[in-house]
Amino acid sequence: MWIVIVAILIVAIIGISTYAVLSARVPTKVGIELWYNNDGHYGDTETALALTLQNSIQSCGRVTVSLKSDPWAVYKQNWANQRMPMFLLGWYPDYFDSDDYASPFLSIAGAKSLGSFYNNSQVDQWITEEQSTTDPNIRTDRFTKIQNALADDVPYIPLFSGVAQTAYVNSVQNVELHPVVFKWFIVDKPGATVLNVSTSDKVISLDPASAYDFFSGEIINQVFDTLVVYDWKNATLKPGLAQDIPTRANGLVSADGMNYTYHLKAGVTFHDFPLNTPLTAQIVANSINRAIRLDLPGSAAFLLYDVGALGRDATNGNNSSPGAIEVVDSSTITFHLARPVSFFNDLMAFSVSAPVPDSYNQAGEQPSTAGSVIGTGPYKMTTHTPNQLIVLDRAFGTKASNTYYNKDLYSPTLGPIPIMDRIVINIRASAAALKQDIETKAVDVVFRTLSPPDLVDLQNRASSLGITVKLGSSPQIRYLVFNVNKVPNKLVRQAIAFSVDRSAISQIVFLGTASPLYSMIPAEMPYSTAVFQSKYGDARCADANNLLAQVPATIELIALARDR
Amino acid sequence: MAEKPRRASLADSLRRWIPRQSILGRILFPLIEERRSLPAVLTWLGIGIVIVFVFIAIASPLLAPWDPYAFVDGPDVPPWTNAPVLANSTYFSFSPTPWMNMTAGQAIDGRDATSRGINDTVVVSSFLLRVFRDAVTNVSYVILLDGRATTPGHYLGVEWSADGGATWSPRTAIRTFNQFVRVDLTPLRSWNLASVEPGRFSLRFTHLADTNTAGQVALNYAAFHVVWLSFWHLMGTDPVGRDVFSRVLVGTGTSLQIMAIGVFAALLVGFPLGLFSGYTGGRIDKVLVLVMDSLYAFPGLLLAGLIAVLIGKGVVNIGLAVTVIYIPLYFRATRSHVLSAREELYVEAARALGAKPGRILWRYIAYNVLVAIPVIFSLSAADAVLTAAGLSYLGLGVQAPTADWGLDLSAAASRISVGIWWSSFFPGLVIVILTIGLSFLGEGLNDIVNPVLRRERS
Amino acid sequence: MARGSSLLAYALTRAILALPMLFILLTAVFVVLRILPGDPILALWGGRTPPPDAVERARVQLGLDQPPIVQYLTYLRNIFTGNLGISIGEQYRGTPVWSQIATRFPATVELAFGGMLVASLVGIPLGVVAGANRDRWVDLGVRLYGTIIWVIPIFWLGLILQLVFGVWLRWLPANGRWTGVDTPCAPPSTCRFQTGMYTVDSLIEGNLGHFATAVSHLLLPSLTLGLVLSGFFAKTVRANMLRTIGADFTEAARARGVPRRAIIYRHAFKNALVPVVTVLGLQFAILFAGAVLTEKTFSYQGLGILLLESITSKDMTMIQGVVVFYAAIIVLISLAIDILGASIDPRIRL
C-alpha cells in the first residue's frame, strides 16, 4: 500500500512539474534587459517603478523584459562600460536653461557620458547653435528640431517629472518649493528664533568645488553666495555678489556673447571670524580656478571648464585657459569664453562657482566640518555632526541690526534675510522617521523625501494634525535610456516608447503625485514641446506591436548579459 | 485460544530492507518505534511541514490562483474581502483648443491650464483608469479651479460624455475655487467596466463668465474617479497590485532552492575538509581550523552579502553566497566527530588489523560521522532560509521580480507606517512556519541520534 | 603571585593566538575587496569620463598604482598602526573611517546592551525554570518557545512590533534614535563628558525628559533583538542547568538533605552560569558588530548599517575599517571571556 502511495506521489510530482515548465513561457519576439538602481539613489520607489515599466511593456505581449539591478557605485560604471541596453536614470538640472535638458543627453559628448551613446552630428550642430545665441527665434527653431529628432530616434524615453514635497506645521511661513534650490533663509516662524527641520538627505561634501548633489547644494546655498542668485520663488536671476546681471543691454556681455563682466558689491566679507576677509575679484577668480584645477571626482567642475567654455589647460597648471579669467580691478572680473555660452549667468549661480577664501585647501577637498566651511552667505554652519545634525546660525549681526550685505535682496516682499536666527537640520535615516517627526511635530518642517504612501497619508490627515503638505513641480526628470549601440534597431525603441504607460507609473508607484513627462525638456521650461505625447502617447500596444511586426526575426534577444 | 494474527507493522517490513545499525536505520527505527516520544513527534511534525512545503514548491504553478508576476488588481487591497478601490486618473489627451498650458497627466502642483476667451472650449479624454473588475460602484469627476489665477465672475462649465464624445450631458457650472469639487455621476446612467474604459469617457470644459468682461479661468486639476470592488484575495495584494498569496506559493520554490544549494554545497565542501583535517591532524589541520574560525568570526549575513555582490544575484548565486556561512559549521562539526571517532575501539582495532588509512577514514569514521549530518543539515537549513530572507531584506539577495519571501517582505515594509500590514506579514509568516518545521526536524533528530542524550533520558 | 602570573601568561598566549586569526580575516577582506567588480576610482566620477591626470592622481593618492603585494603590506601596516584610512565611498567620501565608526559605535553599544538586557531578563529565568522542571509541561513550553522565537526572522518581528506599538497604538516611536531637536548634551547644555549614547548622556546632563525619549526609542529595537535572543538564552541556560542538576556535586548536596529549591537555585544555577556566560558573552560580542537587520528595520544608525552601506557603495576603506574594528572587538571580548573563565576555573589554563 505504501509503495502505491509513493508511486502516485512521484507520478503526480512529475506531471505537475512538466506542466509548470511547459506553461511557464509564452513565445515573444524581443527580449530586453531593464536595469535600475537598487540602493535607494532615487528613493525607495525605484523597484516598483521598474516593475511597473516591465509590466506595461510586457503586457503588450511582444516584448519580454528582464529586470536587472545594481547598487549605485556599480550602476554608474555600468552605463559607461555599456553593460546596460535599457536603464532608468534621473536628471537634476545644473543651470536653469532648456539647454541643460538637451545638450547633456543629445550632444555627442553628453550622450556618451550619460550612457545612450547617441551619435547624431546634425543634432550636435543644432545644440551648438542653440547654445551660442540668445535669439528666441533661433532657439525655438533649434529646440523644436532637437526634440523632434529625440522623438524620432528615441535614445531616451521621458517618463515623469519629479515632485518636490514638503510638510510643515501651519504656523511656519514662506516654505517655497523653489525649482532650483531650497532657501532656508527666507522661511519664517513668527515668534521664534530657531527653526527645527529634518530631512533624510545626506551631506556628501560642503566644498563648492566638490559638491554636486541636491542636499549639499542646498546647504551651500545658505552658507555661500554666488555672483548671481535666484529669486525666492522662481528661477529668475537676481544680483548676488554682483551689482548687476550681465546682459547685452547693459553692456556687461559683449556683442559676440563671449565676454561676461561682473562688478562686485562693496562690503562683502567672508564669515571667517575674526579675519572677516573681504571679497575681491581675485578671490572669485582663484575660487573658480581652484574648482577647475582640482576637478574633484564627482564634482561639477566640468560645468566651468567644459560647458562654460573656460577651459582647463595643462600648460596653465590645469587652471582655466590663459586669459579666460581676467581680474580687471579688485571689484571687477571678466570672463572671456572660448565660445558664446548663452546661459553663462546660470552657471555663475551654480554652487560650483561660489567664491571660497584663499585659506581653503588648494591641493584637495576642504573638510566639511564646522569652522572649515567659510562663505559669504546669510548663514554660517556652526555644527556639523555627520549623518545627524547641521546647525546654521545667522552669520552677520542680529535680527535687529542685520549686517548681511544682501539683506534686502527680496524686499519689500519678504523683509530682510535671513529671517530666522538659527536653522537646525536633523538628518534622519529613513522616510518613515521623517513622517514620525512631522506627525509628532518634533520639528517644524520636513523636506525631502517622504514616501508616496506616507505623503498621501499626511495629506489626508493634514487638517487634524495641524500641518500643511505642499507639493510642487521639481525640475528633476526621470527617463529611460537606451544604449543605442546595444539596441540599434530604432523600431524596437519606438515600440517600447509606445508601450510605456505613464499613468500606471503615476497611479501605482507615486499614488498620483508624479506628473508625466513627454519631452526631455519639462513643460515648465521654455521651448518645451510634448513630442512624446503626440507621437507615442501611453500604453498604445497596438501601435507598438505593429512596429514590432516589422522587426526582422533575427534580433530575438537584445543583450542579455551574464546573470550577476 | 489461538493467538490473533498480528498484522506486519511498517517497522517490520522496513526491517527487512534497512539494517538497524545503518545510518538510515539508526534514525528511522526510533522514529517509528517510539513515535509517541517528544523527539519523534517533533521530527514527524518537521518532516510533515517540510514535505508540505516541497509539495507547494513543486505544485505552485497549479495552486497559485493568480499570475504571481502580473499586476492583477489594485495596489494594497486588504486580505479576505472585496475592497473598494479608487481608480483615479487625470486626462492624457485633449483636443486642439485656445486654452493655454494644457498638459497631459496634470498633477496638483499649482501649474494651471488657463483660458482667456469666454466660451473657449476644450475636450479632454484618455482618462487612463486602471479598473480590473466589472464591479463599478461609484463614478464621479473631480475639478480643482485655481482661485488666485481666475478673474472674479469667471467660472467653468463642464459636460461629460461616456460614449467617446458622441453625446454630451447638460452643462454643470463649477463656481467653487481652491477646493476639490466632486460631481457624482453614479445615478445618471448604468456604469460598467466597458463604459469607463480609456477612450470612452470625456469631459468638455467651457470658459463661462457672468458678464462679458475679459478675464481668465484657471484649471488646476481635473480627474475621473471610479470606485470599483476588487477581486477577493486570501492575503491581499502587494504595493503594486500583485496577489500576495500567489507570490507566497511561488516564493516557496525560491526559498527551498536557495536553501538546498546553500546547504548541500556547504556539506560537499565542509564535510570532506572536516574529515580530512580531523583525521590527518598536524599543521594542515591547524591552518584549516584557523581559516574556518576566521570565517566564522565575520558577521555571517554581511559576509554572504559581500559574496553576493561579488558573484551576482541569481538564485544559484545567492545559494552559493549563503554557503560561505555554513562551510565552517560543517567543517567544525565533522572534525569534532572525527576526533572522537578516531579514538573509538573499533577504529583502533581496524588500524591494528592493518586496514589502509583511506579505508579507515571512509568505512569506519565517515560512516559514523554521517549520522550526525542530518541534524546539522536541518538546523543549518532553517538558518539558511533565514539568511536568504535577510539578504533579500537588505537588498543584497535575489532581485525583483523573483517571487521571494524576503524580497516581498522588504518591498512592503515601507507600507507598515500607514498600517498596511498584510503584504509583509504573510511572507514573514511562511518563513516562520518553514523554519519552525526545519528546526523541529533538526532538534528531534538530534535527540534521537545522539545516544548520550538518550541514555540520560532512560 | 604565582596564580596571577600564570593567568597573565595565559592571557598573553591567547592574545598571540588571536593574532593569526585577525591576520587571516584582514587578508580575506583585502582579497575580496580587490576582486569586487567595478573600479573604485572610475566610480567616483560616475559615468563621466574623468580627466586623465585626475585619475592618475587619485590612484597615487589611494596607493592603487602600487603592485598588489605592496598595497597589501601598506594596508597591513596602516591597520596595525591604527590608521584606518579615509572613506572613498559616495556618501562618506573624504571623512576618516575612524570618525564614522566613532559616531556609530555608541548607538550600537546602546542597542547591544538593550537587547542583552531583554534577552537575559526573559531568557535566563525561562531557562532556569525549564531546567528545574525537566520534561514537564513548563519545560516543553519553554523548549517550544525557545525554538520558535529563535527562528522568527528578526525583521518580521520588528515590523510587527512597529505596527502594533508604533502605528496602531502609537505608544512608542518606531524609527530612529531620537525625536526632536536637541540631542542630549547638544549645546547649549553642558556635559562634563559625552559618550554619544543618548541614554547615558541624558543622565549625565540630568535631563529626565531626554532620558525618557532616548529609552522610548531604544525600547522597540531592544525588545525585538532581545526576544529573538531570549530563545537562544533559554535553551543554553536550560541545557546547562540539566547538566549541573545531574552532576556529582548536586547529587552530593541532595544526599546532604539540602532542599530542592536551594539545590536548583543555589548550586545548580550558579554552576550552570559559567558556561552560559561564555556563550552569552560571545553573543554580546557579535551584537557589537551591529545588528544590521534590526538597525535597518528601525532606521537605527549603528555599525551594522554602516557596514551594509559601505558594502553596497563598495567603499573599500570603510569596509576594511569596520571589519577590522569588528574583529578586534570579537577578539578582545572572547579574550576577556576566556580570561574570566580561567580565573574562575583554573583547570582551563592547563
Side-chain angles (χ1 to χ4, degrees):
Chain A
M1 183 196 69
W2 281 90
I3 291 171
V4 176
I5 293 176
V6 169
I8 290 174
L9 259 179
I10 291 174
V11 170
I13 286 171
I14 292 174
I16 290 167
S17 33
T18 324
Y19 168 82
V21 170
L22 290 182
S23 67
R25 286 278 167 259
V26 188
T28 47
K29 183 132 189 174
V30 177
I32 190 165
E33 286 177 349
L34 168 60
W35 288 73
Y36 65 99
N37 163 256
N38 64 2
D39 63 343
H41 189 80
Y42 295 114
D44 304 334
T45 45
E46 203 63 4
T47 311
L49 172 61
L51 281 171
T52 308
L53 272 175
Q54 180 197 36
N55 204 272
S56 70
I57 298 171
Q58 281 192 162
S59 65
C60 289
R62 302 293 287 272
V63 179
T64 313
V65 178
S66 50
L67 294 183
K68 302 271 161 179
S69 60
D70 256 329
W72 187 245
V74 183
Y75 197 72
K76 54 189 188 176
Q77 287 176 66
N78 284 350
W79 79 69
N81 300 340
Q82 308 211 36
R83 292 202 42 225
M84 312 192 283
M86 174 168 79
F87 55 102
L88 279 163
L89 269 189
W91 179 256
Y92 207 93
D94 301 320
Y95 46 95
F96 223 63
D97 187 281
S98 297
D99 174 66
D100 201 26
Y101 290 103
S103 65
F105 303 105
L106 297 164
S107 72
I108 294 169
K112 208 171 144 197
S113 71
L114 282 178
S116 78
F117 294 86
Y118 179 62
N119 189 332
N120 185 329
S121 47
Q122 179 63 66
V123 172
D124 205 54
Q125 175 64 30
W126 287 331
I127 287 174
T128 317
E129 286 167 16
E130 149 275 302
Q131 280 177 337
S132 348
T133 178
T134 49
D135 181 342
N137 292 328
I138 303 178
R139 293 199 98 193
T140 309
D141 173 66
R142 297 300 183 271
F143 274 119
T144 309
K145 284 178 173 157
I146 291 168
Q147 290 176 84
N148 286 338
L150 164 75
D152 191 43
D153 290 339
V154 201
Y156 305 88
I157 301 178
L159 295 176
F160 58 94
S161 286
V163 173
Q165 18 111 329
T166 177
Y168 51 93
V169 294
N170 285 339
S171 61
V172 177
Q173 291 166 6
N174 303 349
V175 182
E176 282 297 327
L177 291 169
H178 193 276
V180 185
V181 70
F182 196 86
K183 296 178 186 305
W184 288 111
F185 51 78
I186 63 167
V187 178
D188 191 8
K189 187 186 180 193
T193 52
V194 179
L195 186 78
N196 296 312
V197 306
S198 64
T199 181
S200 59
D201 281 339
K202 303 258 159 61
V203 167
I204 290 177
S205 170
L206 295 179
D207 183 344
S210 169
Y212 191 28
D213 65 289
F214 186 88
F215 187 58
S216 305
E218 175 189 321
I219 301 297
I220 287 175
N221 191 251
Q222 325 299 319
V223 177
F224 294 84
D225 267 326
T226 40
L227 291 172
V228 285
V229 298
Y230 289 106
D231 189 25
W232 62 291
K233 214 170 178 144
N234 54 46
T236 318
L237 289 175
K238 296 216 137 206
L241 296 166
Q243 294 174 12
D244 304 289
I245 297 168
T247 56
R248 279 200 177 82
N250 65 17
L252 296 175
V253 179
S254 63
D256 59 3
M258 286 167 65
N259 303 292
Y260 280 70
T261 303
Y262 297 87
H263 297 291
L264 300 183
K265 284 180 180 160
V268 182
T269 61
F270 285 97
H271 34 64
D272 51 349
F273 184 81
L275 297 173
N276 294 331
T277 316
L279 180 81
T280 61
Q282 189 61 50
I283 290 182
V284 177
N286 293 349
S287 306
I288 286 176
N289 271 328
R290 172 175 176 265
I292 291 175
R293 184 177 66 247
L294 294 178
D295 193 17
L296 291 164
S299 78
F302 69 96
L303 286 179
L304 298 171
Y305 64 75
D306 183 12
V307 181
L310 288 172
R312 184 171 188 270
D313 196 331
T315 61
N316 197 19
N318 284 328
N319 288 314
S320 58
S321 309
I325 304 178
E326 182 195 355
V327 178
V328 181
D329 60 47
S330 72
S331 68
T332 309
I333 185 167
T334 302
F335 296 95
H336 303 285
L337 315 181
R339 59 169 189 276
V341 179
S342 58
F343 42 84
F344 190 77
N345 280 328
D346 293 85
L347 295 178
M348 286 297 112
F350 193 72
S351 63
V352 73
S353 317
V356 299
D358 288 342
S359 60
Y360 258 50
N361 183 357
Q362 298 295 320
E365 189 172 330
Q366 176 84 350
S368 300
T369 50
S372 312
V373 179
I374 302 161
T376 56
Y379 284 119
K380 60 179 182 231
M381 187 175 74
T382 48
T383 306
H384 180 200
T385 317
N387 276 317
Q388 255 177 303
L389 187 69
I390 286 179
V391 179
L392 303 175
D393 276 313
R394 179 186 293 279
F396 300 98
T398 62
K399 186 160 187 161
S401 68
N402 191 340
T403 53
Y404 176 52
Y405 77 98
N406 224 359
K407 64 173 187 288
D408 295 323
L409 181 64
Y410 303 130
S411 295
T413 350
L414 283 182
I417 51 170
I419 294 175
M420 302 299 290
D421 285 340
R422 168 177 279 199
I423 311 282
V424 180
I425 302 174
N426 296 277
I427 299 165
R428 304 292 191 216
S430 69
L434 283 192
K435 187 196 180 205
Q436 186 177 294
D437 271 350
I438 193 69
E439 248 176 354
T440 56
K441 294 194 188 166
V443 299
D444 304 313
V445 186
V446 295
F447 179 55
R448 280 171 61 99
T449 303
L450 291 159
S451 74
D454 286 349
L455 194 63
V456 172
D457 186 46
L458 286 178
Q459 259 180 331
N460 293 339
R461 290 162 54 211
S463 56
S464 67
L465 287 172
I467 60 170
T468 307
V469 178
K470 195 165 184 177
L471 295 180
S473 65
S474 146
Q476 189 208 24
I477 58 169
R478 296 301 315 277
Y479 51 92
L480 262 181
V481 186
F482 286 106
N483 181 326
V484 295
N485 294 339
K486 303 201 86 175
V487 193
N489 193 314
K490 197 158 90 175
L491 293 175
V492 174
R493 305 199 298 262
Q494 289 175 333
I496 292 178
F498 271 122
S499 53
V500 159
D501 184 355
R502 292 173 185 81
S503 86
I505 294 174
S506 167
Q507 288 173 43
I508 297 175
V509 185
F510 295 99
L511 308 175
T513 60
S515 40
L517 182 70
Y518 291 102
S519 166
M520 296 305 275
I521 304 176
E524 69 270 22
M525 296 299 295
Y527 316 115
S528 161
T529 14
V531 278
F532 273 72
Q533 207 208 336
S534 42
K535 193 155 179 172
Y536 301 106
D538 289 279
R540 279 162 58 181
C541 283
D543 295 307
N545 290 342
N546 282 344
L547 283 186
L548 286 172
Q550 303 166 31
V551 174
T554 42
I555 48 158
E556 288 265 309
L557 283 182
I558 295 171
L560 288 170
R562 184 172 58 99
D563 186 10
R564 56 162 298 282
Chain B
M1 197 168 154
E3 200 178 284
K4 220 174 172 183
R6 199 172 69 95
R7 246 184 81 229
S9 73
L10 175 61
D12 288 335
S13 54
L14 279 178
R15 209 161 284 141
R16 245 176 288 144
W17 300 98
I18 303 166
R20 179 167 276 275
Q21 284 311 315
S22 67
I23 298 172
L24 206 55
R26 276 158 72 177
I27 293 170
L28 214 52
F29 286 107
L31 269 184
I32 294 163
E33 286 159 5
E34 301 167 29
R35 56 181 166 271
R36 278 178 209 290
S37 70
L38 181 65
V41 170
L42 283 184
T43 313
W44 281 119
L45 210 59
I47 291 176
I49 291 176
V50 172
I51 286 180
V52 169
F53 272 91
V54 171
F55 177 74
I56 291 176
I58 294 167
S60 56
L62 278 188
L63 296 176
W66 300 92
D67 180 348
Y69 302 105
F71 297 2
V72 294
D73 214 329
D76 296 322
V77 171
W80 208 267
T81 179
N82 295 99
V85 179
L86 170 68
N88 65 2
S89 170
T90 171
Y91 53 89
F92 277 75
S93 64
F94 46 86
S95 63
T97 172
W99 279 65
M100 290 168 296
N101 298 328
M102 294 292 296
T103 50
Q106 241 181 351
I108 312 165
D109 58 4
R111 273 180 281 171
D112 302 329
T114 53
S115 155
R116 294 242 170 91
I118 296 171
N119 291 329
D120 282 352
T121 64
V122 59
V123 175
V124 297
S125 50
S126 294
F127 294 88
L128 301 178
L129 288 178
R130 300 172 58 81
V131 180
F132 291 89
R133 183 161 172 251
D134 197 357
V136 176
T137 60
N138 189 293
V139 177
S140 57
Y141 64 82
V142 170
I143 301 287
L144 177 63
L145 293 179
D146 189 344
R148 283 173 305 178
T150 303
T151 320
H154 290 248
Y155 61 98
L156 189 73
V158 183
E159 299 141 276
W160 58 272
S161 160
D163 48 14
T167 57
W168 290 95
S169 73
R171 189 176 284 172
T172 310
I174 311 282
R175 316 190 65 139
T176 313
F177 297 96
N178 298 332
Q179 54 183 327
F180 292 102
V181 180
R182 200 173 140 266
V183 180
D184 193 355
L185 308 179
T186 320
L188 301 183
R189 58 163 287 170
S190 69
W191 296 93
N192 57 21
L193 184 56
S195 60
V196 300
E197 261 182 356
R200 301 277 295 176
F201 188 84
S202 328
L203 290 174
R204 183 157 72 193
F205 301 136
T206 313
H207 174 183
L208 298 175
D210 293 328
T211 55
N212 209 0
T213 48
Q216 69 169 14
V217 66
L219 172 75
N220 195 329
Y221 185 69
F224 185 36
H225 279 199
V226 168
V227 178
W228 54 286
L229 288 178
S230 73
F231 292 101
W232 185 93
H233 298 273
L234 180 64
M235 297 179 179
T237 64
D238 73 358
V240 290
R242 296 173 297 186
D243 180 49
V244 174
F245 179 57
S246 305
R247 288 188 64 79
V248 162
L249 289 182
V250 175
T252 312
T254 316
S255 268
L256 291 185
Q257 278 173 41
I258 294 177
M259 178 201 89
I261 293 168
V263 174
F264 272 112
L267 181 67
L268 282 182
V269 179
F271 181 67
L273 270 184
L275 268 186
F276 174 73
S277 180
Y279 188 74
T280 43
R283 206 167 290 160
I284 302 173
D285 181 44
K286 286 214 176 75
V287 171
L288 274 174
V289 169
L290 200 61
V291 171
M292 291 293 173
D293 278 0
S294 316
L295 266 185
Y296 210 62
F298 199 91
L301 191 61
L302 290 172
L303 177 66
L306 199 58
I307 305 284
V309 171
L310 191 66
I311 62 176
K313 304 195 138 205
V315 169
V316 176
N317 305 37
I318 297 299
L320 291 178
V322 167
T323 302
V324 186
I325 307 178
Y326 302 105
I327 289 178
L329 186 74
Y330 283 92
F331 173 83
R332 290 168 90 171
T334 312
R335 184 175 164 276
S336 70
H337 272 95
V338 172
L339 289 185
S340 57
R342 210 165 60 162
E343 310 306 323
E344 293 274 345
L345 269 180
Y346 59 87
V347 178
E348 293 288 331
R351 203 174 291 144
L353 288 172
K356 287 197 186 93
R359 187 175 157 74
I360 295 176
L361 190 62
W362 286 115
R363 182 71 192 87
Y364 296 96
I365 296 182
Y367 191 72
N368 278 286
V369 173
L370 268 178
V371 179
I373 291 299
V375 178
I376 323 172
F377 192 85
S378 38
L379 290 180
S380 61
D383 205 60
V385 171
L386 287 177
T387 307
L391 280 180
S392 304
Y393 183 72
L394 295 179
L396 298 171
V398 292
Q399 62 188 349
T402 316
D404 176 79
W405 300 333
L407 194 66
D408 287 2
L409 197 159
S410 85
S414 66
R415 292 292 204 268
I416 285 284
S417 63
V418 288
I420 293 169
W421 52 273
W422 50 89
S423 37
S424 47
F425 177 80
F426 290 114
L429 188 66
V430 284
I431 299 178
V432 173
I433 296 173
L434 175 60
T435 47
I436 286 178
L438 285 167
S439 47
F440 276 0
L441 182 60
E443 296 199 354
L445 283 179
N446 189 28
D447 284 5
I448 286 168
V449 299
N450 200 328
V452 182
L453 286 180
R454 284 171 62 74
R455 212 174 300 133
E456 230 175 50
R457 184 169 295 116
S458 52
Chain C
M1 179 68 214
R3 189 194 146 112
S5 70
S6 76
L7 188 62
L8 186 68
Y10 174 76
L12 274 178
T13 330
R14 287 285 299 129
I16 290 165
L17 279 178
L19 275 182
M21 201 170 121
L22 200 56
F23 180 74
I24 288 178
L25 207 57
L26 293 181
T27 313
V29 168
F30 181 84
V31 172
V32 167
L33 289 183
R34 262 132 199 100
I35 52 179
L36 276 182
D39 183 330
I41 303 283
L42 293 180
L44 294 177
W45 269 270
R48 247 174 259 289
T49 324
D53 63 303
V55 175
E56 218 28 65
R57 204 176 46 223
R59 248 177 234 293
V60 173
Q61 217 170 11
L62 294 170
L64 294 178
D65 54 332
Q66 308 281 329
I69 185 72
V70 178
Q71 286 186 37
Y72 177 63
L73 291 176
T74 326
Y75 158 78
L76 285 184
R77 194 190 62 217
N78 280 343
I79 282 167
F80 282 102
T81 52
N83 175 4
L84 295 183
I86 292 191
S87 164
I88 58 164
E90 162 125 324
Q91 192 179 327
Y92 302 107
R93 196 178 67 222
T95 58
V97 168
W98 182 248
S99 79
Q100 278 307 317
I101 295 179
T103 55
R104 299 299 188 98
F105 190 53
T108 292
V109 172
E110 269 188 324
L111 183 57
F113 270 101
M116 283 299 281
L117 193 68
V118 174
S120 309
L121 286 182
V122 178
I124 294 179
L126 282 181
V128 171
V129 170
N133 298 286
R134 178 175 196 180
D135 290 341
R136 301 215 196 129
W137 284 109
V138 184
D139 184 28
L140 181 68
V142 171
R143 286 184 69 187
L144 283 182
Y145 167 82
T147 304
I148 291 174
I149 198 98
W150 180 235
V151 296
I152 285 184
I154 196 159
F155 42 91
W156 185 68
L157 183 64
L159 286 176
I160 290 176
L161 293 180
Q162 238 178 19
L163 179 75
V164 174
F165 295 104
V167 180
W168 285 347
L169 299 174
R170 296 192 187 278
W171 285 354
L172 291 169
N175 280 291
R177 289 182 70 202
W178 193 253
T179 321
V181 179
D182 296 321
T183 50
C185 288
S189 105
T190 47
C191 294
R192 242 172 308 150
F193 60 98
Q194 204 176 343
T195 59
M197 290 181 270
Y198 291 164
T199 44
V200 178
D201 284 350
S202 57
L203 288 179
I204 296 177
E205 196 184 30
N207 187 332
L208 284 182
H210 277 179
F211 184 69
T213 312
V215 169
S216 73
H217 275 269
L218 198 54
L219 221 49
L220 281 186
S222 303
L223 206 60
T224 309
L225 197 56
L227 280 181
V228 170
L229 283 180
S230 74
F232 177 66
F233 279 30
K235 282 161 83 174
T236 314
V237 172
R238 174 184 173 274
N240 282 290
M241 283 292 287
L242 292 186
R243 207 173 40 77
T244 48
I245 286 174
D248 294 344
F249 61 90
T250 33
E251 295 290 340
R254 197 169 298 145
R256 285 204 310 275
V258 181
R260 196 185 110 86
R261 278 186 76 85
I263 291 176
I264 288 172
Y265 295 104
R266 199 171 316 140
H267 295 82
F269 178 59
K270 241 166 96 183
N271 281 288
L273 266 186
V274 178
V276 167
V277 164
T278 314
V279 177
L280 302 197
L282 269 177
Q283 190 60 50
F284 200 27
I286 290 170
L287 283 189
F288 272 132
V292 62
L293 292 170
T294 316
E295 287 174 13
K296 182 161 161 87
T297 308
F298 292 96
S299 10
Y300 192 93
Q301 299 262 30
L303 269 188
I305 290 286
L306 183 66
L307 186 53
L308 175 68
E309 284 172 348
S310 42
I311 286 177
T312 49
S313 66
K314 300 196 10 177
D315 186 344
M316 293 203 313
T317 42
M318 188 68 89
I319 303 179
Q320 285 166 3
V322 177
V323 169
V324 168
F325 180 77
Y326 169 61
I329 284 195
I330 293 268
V331 167
L332 277 182
I333 291 192
S334 51
L335 202 63
I337 294 166
D338 275 358
I339 294 169
L340 192 72
S343 67
I344 296 171
D345 185 353
R347 277 174 306 172
I348 296 176
R349 265 176 273 160
L350 295 179

